[in-house]
Amino acid sequence: MVAGAAFVVAAALALVAAPDTVAAGGHGPHTYCRPTQSCWPGSIAWSAFNRTVSGRLIQVVPLAKPCYDDPSGEACQSVQAGYYDPAFRSKTPGASEYLNWETCGSQNCQIDLVAPSSGAALGNCSLGRLSVYAVDVSSTLDVTATIFFARLFNIKIAIKNTGHDLTGRSHAPDSLTIWTHNLKEMKYEPNFTVGKTSSPAFRFGAGVQTAEATAFANANNKSIVQGDCPTVGIAGGWWAGGGKGPFGPLYGLGAENVLQVTIVTADGLARTLNNASTGSEADLFWAVRGGGGGTWGVVTEVVFKAHPIQPFVMAIFSATLTNHSDPIANTIMTEFLTVLAKNQPKVAALSAFGAHTFSPYSIGGRYLFPGSDVALATKTAQPVLDVIAKYNSSFAASSFSINAYPSYVATAANIPDGNPYGFNALVSTRLVPKSLFANDSSIATLVDAIVKGYYLNIPPDSPLAGIDLIASIAVTVDAGGPMDLKNRPATAVHPAWSDSYWQIIYATGWTKNLADLGLVPLLEASVSSAAEPLRAITPGGGTYLNEGDPNEADWQGAFFGSNYPRLLEIKNKWDPNGVFTVWKGVGWVEKQDSSEYCYYEQWV
């Protein structure tokens, strides 16, 4: 028997006797082994395990460490050059896309956004909440061996692909990361068959990123559903948390386009789930599609529906205010939002996607209209352009463009990249139901709540209002509610998605120098409170799981809605010991997981 298989068998036998206990609301208390304790594996055990996974064990090193070791060295210069590039950051287990999820209290290894060359002057470089080790898995056998090793030594498991998660679920301190980033298989299957149903589909390894998948689909004269960000793992946590994106109004969410999933569950077995699955595996297939990433097991492969090549007409508009302190700024924001809301039913009727932003500093956005009718797209976007024209004297600059593109690949190449990475970020969000777009009165209520949220996020009498870097962070209006289907695929996606037109996103961020000023507690509290006016007018509503507030009080309702009881039942069936428990994921119980101590320490 080969060494790897022998280890897997031995570890499995050792775990058979372990009792499975389930708490009423999720798994019971779990205290994991830490590197400073005698239970932590020694070098001989780690070396043996490394042989089991064919030398794919990595000792995690923070991305910025070379700048602490030698700020003027070539290695540091390389880090600085790519520090804010999401593709660069995704290529190592020693980084997150957002720095606060690399940080545990005062422990981190950051370079500063404002003065990145300051390096070692920032203090000591430490792992923070990064894992101690990671396995660069290449197969389900690697995943199985890692699960058994971690369970045998009671080590917390983290699952990381690209590290885009906005609630930090890709990282855990003192843990062993299963790193799926290099599972890059891509295959087009013209006749993918499940049972008696055949359709064109794409098979993607869990590490395939959006830009890679999009280019591959385009080369096969097809389109696929996807998110906005080209570096997000399309077969990772994106679809597992629902999977919003520009194709949503046409073809639905990412989770609704998944035909098959290969997943290694807590018992170490690799399972293939699809619509032909029966019994508890059918339940698991329902749960993994929308029930959140990192919760049900380690996904190694996903099969997505393939769609025809889709042309788009894209309208892009923007306007920068001359004086953000002028009271007219509030008037412009209010009217801009009102026009967007009144226009939304027409936009939705065309299965178009919108992404808009506003603040007292600027307004802007884009519409993506399926098809090639530039005249119709221009007519539909005109009310927004009228607002910009009406207040033209208050703008220092404004612009508008509209163009037809033969495919989404061509469209995406012309979308400005407005997502910054390599800094600290938090968001709070809310889905907005169609009922709030019904008439002038409901729209006025909606707009008032959204604008109030901006001022709760940036309180006018607080220090934040005087820092342009913070105060200019715009509120995002994602106008991409999924297609209106009578018979939606059965998934665990929050039910609020099926009745929503918009998702509102409040964001905040900070650099290390702002943290040194002691502003982080105010930033964190402000962004959480920003969504309160919307929560008040959307009782029983929800949010996008992948862009949630880690401090969300009603997390079960906001992230999962009425699906939560069934999800918890399935979780307890498949993972009774909570091997794959993440912050405010299904089965999570407050302060029951010893690895989550960083969430209770204030960022400094």
Side-chain angles (χ1 to χ4, degrees), residues 307-332:
H307 298 283
I309 283 286
Q310 179 60 57
F312 283 96
V313 175
M314 180 165 64
I316 301 178
F317 47 89
S318 66
T320 303
L321 277 78
T322 303
N323 180 7
H324 65 269
S325 299
D326 191 324
I328 196 69
N330 190 74
T331 302
I332 292 172

Side-chain angles (χ1 to χ4, degrees), residues 349-375:
L350 297 174
S351 298
F353 173 82
H356 317 298
T357 60
F358 77 88
S359 77
Y361 292 74
S362 65
I363 60 173
R366 68 182 182 272
Y367 283 122
L368 271 66
F369 297 93
S372 305
D373 194 333
V374 175

Side-chain angles (χ1 to χ4, degrees), residues 450-473:
I450 296 173
V451 174
K452 280 182 178 176
Y454 170 82
Y455 290 111
L456 286 171
N457 194 22
I458 313 292
D461 58 350
S462 77
L464 304 183
I467 303 173
D468 285 347
L469 181 67
I470 302 298
S472 62
I473 296 176

Side-chain angles (χ1 to χ4, degrees), residues 307-503:
H307 298 283
I309 283 286
Q310 179 60 57
F312 283 96
V313 175
M314 180 165 64
I316 301 178
F317 47 89
S318 66
T320 303
L321 277 78
T322 303
N323 180 7
H324 65 269
S325 299
D326 191 324
I328 196 69
N330 190 74
T331 302
I332 292 172
M333 291 193 302
T334 299
E335 189 160 340
F336 176 63
L337 283 169
T338 300
V339 168
L340 286 176
K342 289 183 176 180
N343 208 34
Q344 182 58 38
K346 296 178 183 177
V347 172
L350 297 174
S351 298
F353 173 82
H356 317 298
T357 60
F358 77 88
S359 77
Y361 292 74
S362 65
I363 60 173
R366 68 182 182 272
Y367 283 122
L368 271 66
F369 297 93
S372 305
D373 194 333
V374 175
L376 178 60
T378 303
K379 180 180 178 181
T380 307
Q382 190 60 46
V384 180
L385 305 182
D386 290 343
V387 173
I388 295 175
K390 178 179 177 179
Y391 294 100
N392 185 59
S393 62
S394 297
F395 296 128
S398 64
S399 65
F400 171 70
S401 65
I402 187 163
N403 294 285
Y405 299 98
S407 66
Y408 185 72
V409 168
T411 307
N414 291 277
I415 297 176
D417 186 3
N419 295 319
Y421 298 95
F423 75 113
N424 303 275
L426 289 170
V427 300
S428 64
T429 67
R430 196 72 176 175
L431 297 174
V432 182
K434 296 174 183 177
S435 60
L436 287 173
F437 298 80
N439 52 55
D440 289 351
S441 176
S442 61
I443 287 174
T445 298
L446 170 62
V447 170
D448 180 65
I450 296 173
V451 174
K452 280 182 178 176
Y454 170 82
Y455 290 111
L456 286 171
N457 194 22
I458 313 292
D461 58 350
S462 77
L464 304 183
I467 303 173
D468 285 347
L469 181 67
I470 302 298
S472 62
I473 296 176
V475 180
T476 298
V477 179
D478 262 1
M483 59 182 178
D484 189 9
L485 287 181
K486 291 182 178 179
N487 298 305
R488 305 189 70 84
T491 70
V493 167
H494 197 301
W497 271 109
S498 64
D499 189 44
S500 296
Y501 270 152
W502 284 1
Q503 179 204 6

Side-chain angles (χ1 to χ4, degrees), residues 11-141:
L13 291 172
L15 290 170
V16 165
D20 288 346
T21 57
V22 181
H27 71 85
H30 200 137
T31 301
Y32 288 99
C33 183
R34 300 178 68 174
T36 56
Q37 298 174 321
S38 60
C39 55
W40 191 257
S43 59
I44 294 176
W46 283 111
S47 295
F49 172 58
N50 190 31
R51 291 193 295 272
T52 300
V53 293
S54 304
R56 306 187 74 84
L57 181 67
I58 300 168
Q59 186 167 1
V60 175
V61 176
L63 176 65
K65 190 175 188 303
C67 294
Y68 283 71
D69 295 340
D70 182 5
S72 60
E74 289 185 10
C76 178
Q77 292 175 20
S78 176
V79 168
Q80 289 181 23
Y83 201 65
Y84 313 117
D85 177 2
F88 180 80
R89 299 189 69 83
S90 71
K91 293 178 181 178
T92 172
S96 173
E97 297 295 346
Y98 306 103
L99 298 183
N100 44 315
W101 302 121
E102 299 174 10
T103 299
C104 185
S106 61
Q107 303 299 307
N108 63 65
C109 190
Q110 299 182 15
I111 54 178
D112 194 86
L113 180 69
V114 177
S117 62
S118 56
L122 298 175
N124 296 320
C125 174
S126 62
L127 283 172
R129 72 172 74 202
L130 297 176
S131 296
V132 181
Y133 289 99
V135 179
D136 180 10
V137 297
S138 63
S139 66
T140 56
L141 183 60

Side-chain angles (χ1 to χ4, degrees), residues 140-141 144 261-265 267-273 281 298 300:
T140 56
L141 183 60
T144 297
V261 175
T262 301
I263 184 171
V264 182
T265 46
D267 56 10
L269 297 179
R271 302 172 189 277
T272 298
L273 310 174
E281 288 197 348
V298 182
T300 59

